[in-house]
Amino acid sequence: MELEFYVKDKYDGKTLREVLSGELNMSKNMIKRVKLYGSLDVNGIHTRVIDKVKANDLVYIKYDDDSGKLNEDAGIPILFEDEWVGICVKPANMVTHPTHGHLDDSLLTVLGTTCGNSLHPIMRLDRETSGLIGIAKNGYAHNQVATSKMSKKYLAVVYGKFEKDFGRIDMPIKRKEGSIMIREVPSDGSGHPSITNYRTFLYDKTNDISLVEFILETGRCHQIRVHSMTNGHPLVGDGLYGPNSIDNPNNSFPKSKELDNKIGRQALHAYYLSVIHPITNEEMTFKSQLPDDMRMLFAEELQEEIIRICSSL
């Protein structure tokens, strides 16, 4: 990581630490790492973070925390990459972070095999969820992107059809008592505030399923899955909240076993991502087409319509 900039008038007489925090939004930990393991120069002279600077001083920062090129041979589509961030399309059934049992085949592991340091995911997608995900190449880029404006949109296939074609679900979510994984909307109104916006694009009467767009106002664990299920429309293939799950069984959808087996995962895809570049402050927007395994859940006569809808998004 290398950064160079001139001190603005409002920081005249401030310490270098105050400039790094105020102008670059550097965290205390990041400033400490740069101080200990990198270089901090002002007008070509090594400077401590407690030293004061003047307007128009030239600040130069170098910290060897970048991770080089992402592994292009991993078979994962990389839509954008520079020395700061990468945007890729995570396949379904791949964990984002290395975990017990997935130390060698996580997204970060396979993309980082050609890198010298670990990568920093900007957001998280469940193992079965496919779609767009941002990856920062150093701690500073990660902090900048993660704390700036970000917009995400999802496509899902759900059972049944929402009564209204679009709406706003405002229901608190919390961890189910006695479970480390299952979330629920508690009947007593407790839990974390959670808001999901939805819009139905198409309903397949033959299979009793809908193609729905979800946009999150909050980012709770399993939020889309819990809100959709609680409103009577669980995601196709959802092993935790679907009609064939142990915890949330529902016999209202006769074709659910057939469709769940057909896709073999929850039908959820992160198709839209908008992030602010950590250095240029440019808003970058990316889109990813609906995966074939989700599209093929619908009746044959609806395939062209689905392709048309998704192409117009």
Side-chain angles (χ1 to χ4, degrees), residues 119-139:
L119 303 173
H120 307 256
I122 297 167
M123 72 283 290
R124 177 184 176 274
L125 294 178
D126 290 338
R127 178 178 64 84
E128 294 183 9
T129 301
S130 58
L132 293 166
I133 188 168
I135 296 175
K137 293 189 173 184
N138 55 64

Side-chain angles (χ1 to χ4, degrees), residues 70-71 74-81 86-96 106-108 110-111 123 125-135 265 268-273 285-294:
L70 299 177
N71 180 17
I76 296 171
I78 299 172
L79 306 187
F80 173 84
E81 181 182 7
I87 307 294
C88 67
V89 182
K90 186 185 85 66
N93 297 310
M94 173 180 276
V95 298
T96 301
S106 74
L107 179 72
L108 297 187
V110 297
L111 285 177
M123 72 283 290
L125 294 178
D126 290 338
R127 178 178 64 84
E128 294 183 9
T129 301
S130 58
L132 293 166
I133 188 168
I135 296 175
R265 58 110 171 181
L268 184 62
H269 181 70
Y271 86 92
Y272 175 97
L273 175 63
T285 300
F286 303 91
K287 296 180 181 180
S288 173
Q289 286 296 311
L290 185 73
D292 289 343
D293 63 349
M294 290 175 61

Side-chain angles (χ1 to χ4, degrees), residues 178-190:
S179 175
I180 61 172
M181 185 175 296
I182 304 292
R183 266 61 176 179
E184 66 177 359
V185 173
S187 58
D188 62 2
S190 62

Side-chain angles (χ1 to χ4, degrees), residues 94-106 109 127 181:
M94 173 180 276
V95 298
T96 301
H97 303 80
T99 61
H100 178 69
H102 294 282
L103 296 177
D104 299 324
D105 58 358
S106 74
T109 303
R127 178 178 64 84
M181 185 175 296

Side-chain angles (χ1 to χ4, degrees), residues 30 69 86 116 158 181 201 277-278:
M30 188 63 192
K69 291 280 291 179
V158 308
M181 185 175 296
F201 288 128
H277 192 278

Side-chain angles (χ1 to χ4, degrees), residues 5 18 42 59 63 76 89 92 104 116 122 140 146 183 185 193 202 240 253 277 291:
F5 64 95
E18 291 174 298
V42 175
V59 178
Y63 176 56
I76 296 171
V89 182
D104 299 324
I122 297 167
Y140 173 67
R183 266 61 176 179
V185 173
L202 178 143
L240 290 180
F253 309 104
H277 192 278

Side-chain angles (χ1 to χ4, degrees), residues 35-105:
K35 181 182 70 172
L36 293 176
Y37 307 114
S39 299
L40 279 172
D41 297 342
V42 175
N43 300 324
I45 300 172
H46 175 69
T47 304
R48 301 173 302 171
V49 295
I50 60 173
D51 292 337
K52 294 182 178 180
V53 297
K54 301 188 298 294
N56 298 315
D57 278 349
L58 179 62
V59 178
Y60 172 77
I61 303 168
K62 183 175 182 180
Y63 176 56
D64 292 330
D65 187 33
D66 62 61
S67 52
K69 291 280 291 179
L70 299 177
N71 180 17
E72 296 178 348
D73 297 326
I76 296 171
I78 299 172
L79 306 187
F80 173 84
E81 181 182 7
D82 63 9
E83 64 179 305
W84 299 97
V85 294
I87 307 294
C88 67
V89 182
K90 186 185 85 66
N93 297 310
M94 173 180 276
V95 298
T96 301
H97 303 80
T99 61
H100 178 69
H102 294 282
L103 296 177
D104 299 324
D105 58 358

Side-chain angles (χ1 to χ4, degrees), residues 7 28 50 62 88-89 149-150 174 201 205:
V7 175
K28 291 181 180 179
I50 60 173
K62 183 175 182 180
C88 67
V89 182
K149 175 185 174 184
M150 187 184 308
K174 73 173 186 179
F201 288 128
K205 185 176 180 180

